[in-house]
Amino acid sequence: MPPTVVYVHGNGNKPRAELLKSQWDTALFGRDMGAASRMAYWAPVRYPSPLPDLRPDPLDGGPELIEELPAMAERAEAEPPEEFVARTLDEARREAGDLGLEGRAGLEERALADWLRDMTYLADTLAHAGEREEPSEELPLEALPLPQSGRTALFRLLVKHAFQDVHAYFFGGSGPAMRQVVARSLDGLDGGPLVVVGHSLGTIIAYEVLMEQGRDVELLVTLGSPLAISEVQDHLARPPAVPAGVAAWRNASDLRDLVALDHTLRPEYAPQEKVTDLLVTNDSRNHHGVTEYLSQRQVREPVQRIFDGAG
């Protein structure tokens, strides 16, 4: 049987499933792959309707012509990082409370809040770094064509949605439904070679489903993943390890990616020889964009070899 690639998208609302799948196909293969690819589209679990087709996805690093950014830019000029962290955490707790799940997190969410704090401070550091005439060697950044308040708002928008969706996954009752979407996307794929590609929160969802199923996967690809973050690992259903059926795992991240604060899975996920950590350059505006990750040679070539070898 021919190979199949299953995509698991990341944080935030997305365009409709068919369009999103085609966008990922084009970035990874240069063309729409038709029935050879599937999108595990979990966005409706969290968002009532998809983004309009022509509206850019700000969490993919696209142009910032969205409703939230102007208000966030005005607030970012005056709001210290500590206040942003507290407000974002309160919003996530309030959402869980609206669902009657306010007691679910308990004291455990404090550890996850450390990840929120670290993302926020890195976001503000990157926003300030964009003002320098020369990029810092430690934090190389091509200055965004925005005032510093706009850059801060753009980065904080990513931080806010990344944290709130991960919080909803672990503490807000959304995790089972998200995993069910991925499990359904894997149904009937027990024949040809299987490639699973996840981005951001999608890497957590895909990982936990593969740990549950133990199904054979020729290649697992994680992009901009928080799976190396200790605060995230603390909340996984099982201790970190390579899922039993995964033959090879490639994990790609950009050093400036706020979501992937720790870039090495290999030390924590055994057997280590199956894991390859890749540092790549993601030049989307927030350095977390999935299309830029998928376009990287180190990401594309191993996937394409599987498809070419089956041809």
Side-chain angles (χ1 to χ4, degrees):
M1 293 182 65
T4 304
V5 57
V6 174
Y7 303 125
V8 188
H9 70 79
N11 305 294
N13 199 8
K14 301 298 173 195
R16 56 191 169 85
E18 299 81 4
L19 176 58
L20 187 64
K21 183 193 90 75
S22 183
Q23 290 171 344
W24 283 42
D25 278 346
T26 302
L28 185 59
F29 294 99
R31 59 188 175 88
D32 191 290
M33 296 297 287
S37 66
R38 299 181 179 184
M39 175 61 70
Y41 188 69
W42 59 260
V45 174
R46 295 271 295 147
Y47 303 94
S49 58
L51 294 176
D53 286 1
L54 299 180
R55 174 176 168 175
D57 179 358
L59 302 190
D60 195 26
E64 65 285 359
L65 300 176
I66 54 173
E67 290 87 346
E68 288 184 74
L69 193 65
M72 287 195 71
E74 184 175 347
R75 178 187 289 156
E77 291 192 79
E79 185 177 40
E82 297 84 357
E83 292 183 12
F84 170 76
V85 169
R87 180 171 54 82
T88 303
L89 184 57
D90 284 345
E91 288 176 7
R93 287 171 175 159
R94 193 159 51 246
E95 179 179 320
D98 290 343
L99 295 173
L101 297 163
E102 61 272 18
R104 177 76 64 87
L107 297 177
E108 292 183 355
E109 75 172 6
R110 292 183 182 176
L112 194 62
D114 290 339
W115 176 56
L116 168 62
R117 188 171 296 104
D118 290 343
M119 281 196 295
T120 301
Y121 277 97
L122 177 58
D124 285 11
T125 299
L126 287 173
H128 281 282
E131 290 189 316
R132 300 171 183 165
E133 292 184 4
E134 295 295 332
S136 163
E137 291 184 4
E138 295 182 357
L139 291 169
L141 178 68
E142 191 171 320
L144 302 178
L146 296 169
Q148 191 226 311
S149 61
R151 291 193 299 272
T152 300
L154 188 63
F155 286 128
R156 287 189 180 182
L157 187 65
L158 172 63
V159 169
K160 174 184 173 182
H161 282 287
F163 177 78
Q164 289 184 343
D165 280 352
V166 172
H167 189 280
Y169 177 79
F170 286 120
F171 304 126
S174 297
M178 292 177 179
R179 290 192 296 273
Q180 186 179 38
V181 170
V182 175
R184 283 200 305 263
S185 297
L186 294 169
D187 284 347
L189 297 179
D190 297 323
L194 174 61
V195 178
V196 176
V197 179
H199 176 235
S200 196
L201 172 56
T203 68
I204 298 175
I205 307 170
Y207 169 80
E208 294 218 286
V209 170
L210 295 178
M211 287 291 283
E212 291 171 5
Q213 294 188 348
R215 69 164 57 237
D216 290 338
V217 175
E218 186 152 338
L219 179 63
L220 171 62
V221 180
T222 50
L223 309 169
S225 175
L227 278 168
I229 307 299
S230 59
E231 293 86 355
V232 170
Q233 292 175 10
D234 288 343
H235 301 298
L236 297 175
R238 304 181 187 187
V242 177
V246 171
W249 185 348
R250 294 177 76 84
N251 176 59
S253 62
D254 185 298
L255 285 172
R256 303 160 297 178
D257 188 337
L258 306 177
V259 178
L261 288 176
D262 189 329
H263 306 277
T264 54
L265 294 177
R266 187 179 173 93
E268 289 91 12
Y269 290 79
Q272 294 183 0
E273 61 271 15
K274 290 189 176 184
V275 182
T276 303
D277 290 308
L278 305 166
L279 289 178
V280 300
T281 301
N282 183 328
D283 283 331
S284 66
R285 292 193 173 198
N286 58 28
H287 312 296
H288 186 63
V290 68
T291 53
E292 283 74 13
Y293 273 130
L294 291 168
S295 300
Q296 297 292 325
R297 178 185 57 80
Q298 302 100 308
V299 173
R300 298 181 73 177
E301 288 183 351
V303 177
Q304 292 176 349
R305 278 198 298 268
I306 293 172
F307 278 76
D308 292 343

